[in-house]
Amino acid sequence: MADTTTMAETPDPPPPAEGPAEHPRRRWPLTVLVIVLLALLAGGVALGVRYSSRVRQAQAKLDDAVELMAEAEDALVEIDAVVRSEITSALETRAASALETRPDTLEAVKEANALLTEALPDLPDEDVPLAEALLDGAEAREQMLTEAEVILEANVKASGAVGPARDAWTAVGEAEQLSQDAVKEYNKHTEAGVKQSTALTDQAIARLTAARSLLETATATFPQADMAAFVTYLDDRIALLQTSKKIDSTWLAGKVEEANAMLDAYNKQEAALIEQAKQLPESPTAVVAAAYETAAGEATENYYAARDAAEAADERIRTLTALSEQTD
């Protein structure tokens, strides 16, 4: 049976190489004040016992506040590291753990904040600058931890979604290659070639079906990451491949002219699908990244403003501590 009609071999644009969605801002590590704070504790915060009972009570509150901040610092540093991390599937467990420790850490910092506020009016003048710096640091940390709740929740969701989203796009790329290989086999116009075309098409459908399931998993994990456009594309691609299989079976049944007639419609649908693919977002992981920015962007800006304030307060604490040591 002579036959010169072929399936179109114009390939779809291949999925771009995927990297993990990244946090919009990455900064230097938060300075750990534990050593300085513990030194203050060891020295009684450079305060004597020569004052009145009211002053001593204020000094005790200052000591307690310093201890609370020192105890909270390690957890805060870990939370800060998670906030600054790239969004990868490996981050999910770590972000969940940081989210779990955040309330107790925030409570400790709030308590330190309250103690410092209560202590300040009754402290001697020489101790006020350090107490004010400590209060500024506590207030900044409280703000950081408050904003971190939204960020960490988004981290957990996005890191849980980014792996399935990436794997789905990889599966789509594999399916596209399989479907193009199927076209080449069909265009050999041999019984063996058409049968191989059907086998390859089945594999492509399986990969697209797996990709669809992965996208549904990503959306279930991170509902703000809307994969509807990709799911629609995959449904249309699977439907087209089912049509390809019908063409194969028609050809194998000896109905070559009918198969050729079906090919004209197939090639037009294929061209339309290529245009549809061009309208898709860059990739599923790009959708996850955009959803993350929407969910956590404002909180992130507020977090970093508080973080800058904490850094400034920490520098004042180090300077005042150094001056106190020189004076002693």
Side-chain angles (χ1 to χ4, degrees):
M1 292 176 289
D3 175 30
T4 58
T5 305
T6 62
M7 291 187 182
E9 295 191 37
T10 304
D12 286 346
E18 286 300 320
E22 292 191 4
H23 193 285
R25 293 179 66 181
R26 300 188 66 190
R27 300 280 296 280
W28 58 90
L30 186 70
T31 300
V32 182
L33 283 186
V34 174
I35 295 176
V36 173
L37 295 175
L38 291 177
L40 289 174
L41 283 172
V45 199
L47 301 177
V49 291
R50 58 189 181 279
Y51 302 109
S52 68
S53 174
R54 189 180 65 180
V55 172
R56 288 198 298 271
Q57 289 176 3
Q59 293 167 348
K61 290 177 181 179
L62 182 56
D63 285 347
D64 290 343
V66 169
E67 185 171 0
L68 284 167
M69 290 178 66
E71 291 173 354
E73 193 71 2
D74 284 348
L76 177 62
V77 168
E78 171 61 11
I79 289 169
D80 183 65
V82 172
V83 167
R84 294 182 299 106
S85 293
E86 293 180 350
I87 303 300
T88 68
S89 55
L91 185 67
E92 183 177 8
T93 300
R94 191 177 175 195
S97 177
L99 187 62
E100 185 176 349
T101 63
R102 188 201 68 89
D104 288 344
T105 308
L106 176 59
E107 188 60 33
V109 171
K110 281 184 174 181
E111 188 176 348
N113 193 338
L115 288 169
L116 289 165
T117 301
E118 294 171 5
L120 262 170
D122 296 325
L123 289 173
D125 290 345
E126 62 267 27
D127 300 322
V128 169
L130 177 59
E132 288 178 336
L134 286 165
L135 178 59
D136 287 345
E139 289 176 339
R141 282 162 168 75
E142 181 177 340
Q143 184 64 28
M144 288 171 65
L145 289 163
T146 299
E147 300 294 344
E149 181 177 15
V150 172
I151 300 170
L152 293 173
E153 287 176 349
N155 279 354
V156 172
K157 293 177 181 179
S159 57
V162 73
R166 182 188 59 246
D167 293 345
W169 208 224
T170 298
V172 170
E174 294 168 351
E176 299 296 357
Q177 184 60 57
L178 286 165
S179 65
Q180 288 303 311
D181 291 344
V183 168
K184 292 176 182 178
E185 289 297 325
Y186 179 90
N187 288 341
K188 293 178 180 178
H189 305 304
T190 64
E191 182 177 353
V194 176
K195 286 181 177 180
Q196 179 64 9
S197 173
T198 300
L200 290 168
T201 300
D202 281 336
Q203 293 177 43
I205 290 172
R207 297 309 296 141
L208 291 176
T209 302
R212 192 185 192 285
S213 178
L214 286 164
L215 291 178
E216 289 176 341
T217 297
T219 299
T221 304
F222 194 8
Q224 295 94 321
D226 185 4
M227 301 293 177
F230 288 106
V231 171
T232 298
Y233 170 77
L234 294 184
D235 286 343
D236 292 345
R237 171 59 69 182
I238 290 170
L240 185 65
L241 291 178
Q242 295 290 2
T243 298
S244 176
K245 288 180 62 179
K246 290 179 181 178
I247 295 172
D248 290 347
S249 62
T250 300
W251 193 97
L252 289 169
K255 302 175 183 179
V256 177
E257 291 184 3
E258 185 177 341
N260 288 341
M262 295 170 69
L263 273 173
D264 290 338
Y266 173 94
N267 288 335
K268 289 179 182 179
Q269 293 171 7
E270 172 76 7
L273 202 58
I274 291 173
E275 292 304 312
Q276 182 181 343
K278 293 177 182 178
Q279 303 306 313
L280 293 172
E282 179 184 349
S283 67
T285 54
V287 171
V288 172
Y292 178 87
E293 179 60 26
T294 298
E298 182 178 355
T300 299
E301 289 301 315
N302 294 338
Y303 178 92
Y304 275 103
R307 193 178 190 280
D308 288 343
E311 285 282 348
D314 293 355
E315 182 60 32
R316 286 163 55 202
I317 292 169
R318 287 193 296 272
T319 299
L320 290 167
T321 302
L323 289 173
S324 176
E325 290 173 351
Q326 291 174 6
T327 300
D328 293 345

